[in-house]
Amino acid sequence: MTTPSRSARPAVLAQNQYGKAENRVVRITRDGATHHIKDLNVSVALSGDMEEVHYSGSNANVLPTDTTKNTVYAFAKEYGIESAEQFGIHLARHFVTSQEPIRTARIRIEEYSWERIGAPEADPSSAGAQEGGHSFARKGQETRVTQITYDGSSWEVVSGLKDLVVLNSTNSEFWGYVKDKYTTLKEAYDRILATEVSGRWRFNWTDDEQPMPDWEESYAQVRGHMLQAFAQTYSLSLQQTLYQMGARIIENRDEIDEVRFSLPNKHHFLVDLEPFGLKNDNEVYFAADRPYGLIEATILRDGCEALIPVDLSNL
Ligand SMILES: O=c1[nH]c(=O)c2[nH]c(=O)[nH]c2[nH]1
């Protein structure tokens, strides 16, 4: 069977592009104990002489989308990420100048901003103000929540937050766990620990006779203690970090008797750059969105009753 000439086609190929979308790359740059983070979502779209792959299936002009993904990670290591613009320009120029059939490269980048969680200070509510270290909170994400229940005589106030993403770029290990015939996870002695905090805390203010807490001050303080516990805990598991975050609140805030956390373990996998002759010295990570570990627990003031629902989405 002969391929029909182009003019004989009743259906002709119009605009087309291809590439790998949403490459989640996290680049850590270590300046002694002070780490810097760049967190991007990079989408590559290439176009050019791509008629044949569509008409006949010949891949002769096709740089695999998998290669475009690898290029994103390799460039993150080799050239670093100074800015999203600089990184995108570098990638686009590379694809167009190194591959004859590729005429246009469109690189779209979303950048997620992070701010530092401060070192220990007298006032934990100002966590974030102080520079330094390896602990970060993602900007502009958090939602504050509260639930008030009143039956005419007693009050229950449960407050909290959700969507607060935090990350430690060191001081996290995970090893010594159970291994069965399905276990493939490698023990980690220096990993990224990241989670999106969903937390609720229950106040022991229950009747109008008691002095009412200062809700604004309480929120700021609880948030500060929680973030500082996250930043300061040398973590052997997310479970241990969770307990520390809850315990710090119970120990420091007399108005709170119960804290519950739901913490997804937002996995960051080191990218294997060996095939490109590059050493990945804990610098370039693939930020996976699913599946994720989900670590949940309640921390109670000793002797108190657990009243916050197990499933925080019901609150
Ligand atoms: O902090 C962790 N806790 C786990 O229970 C767990 N399980 C796993 O695969 N990775 C991790 N990390």
Side-chain angles (χ1 to χ4, degrees), residues 184-309:
T184 57
L185 184 73
K186 289 212 179 68
E187 299 200 318
Y189 296 91
D190 189 7
R191 66 174 185 173
I192 282 186
L193 184 69
T195 186
E196 182 175 306
V197 180
S198 181
R200 304 288 186 280
W201 43 92
R202 184 173 53 79
F203 291 86
N204 49 31
W205 179 81
T206 54
D207 71 77
D208 289 305
E209 301 303 306
Q210 289 171 268
M212 199 183 278
D214 178 338
W215 307 111
E216 297 294 285
E217 172 68 7
S218 178
Y219 181 82
Q221 292 288 329
V222 168
R223 183 183 185 279
H225 284 296
M226 200 178 63
L227 286 179
Q228 287 208 350
F230 177 80
Q232 291 163 8
T233 301
Y234 190 103
S235 177
L236 300 176
S237 65
L238 183 52
Q239 288 89 330
Q240 182 199 19
T241 297
L242 181 155
Y243 173 77
Q244 288 298 329
M245 291 163 68
R248 195 75 76 94
I249 296 169
I250 297 291
E251 285 160 13
N252 287 282
R253 301 307 303 173
D254 291 343
E255 72 276 24
I256 292 162
D257 279 352
E258 178 183 6
V259 183
R260 185 162 181 85
F261 285 117
S262 177
L263 301 184
N265 192 352
K266 293 174 73 74
H267 302 298
H268 287 67
F269 299 112
L270 265 185
V271 181
D272 179 11
L273 299 174
E274 293 283 338
F276 324 125
L278 299 170
K279 189 161 178 283
N280 192 352
D281 197 11
N282 280 357
E283 293 162 297
V284 180
Y285 296 85
F286 160 57
D289 63 344
R290 63 189 70 168
Y292 49 86
L294 187 58
I295 312 298
E296 305 182 292
T298 298
I299 316 300
L300 271 181
R301 186 173 299 287
D302 195 21
C304 291
E305 199 188 343
L307 298 173
I308 300 177

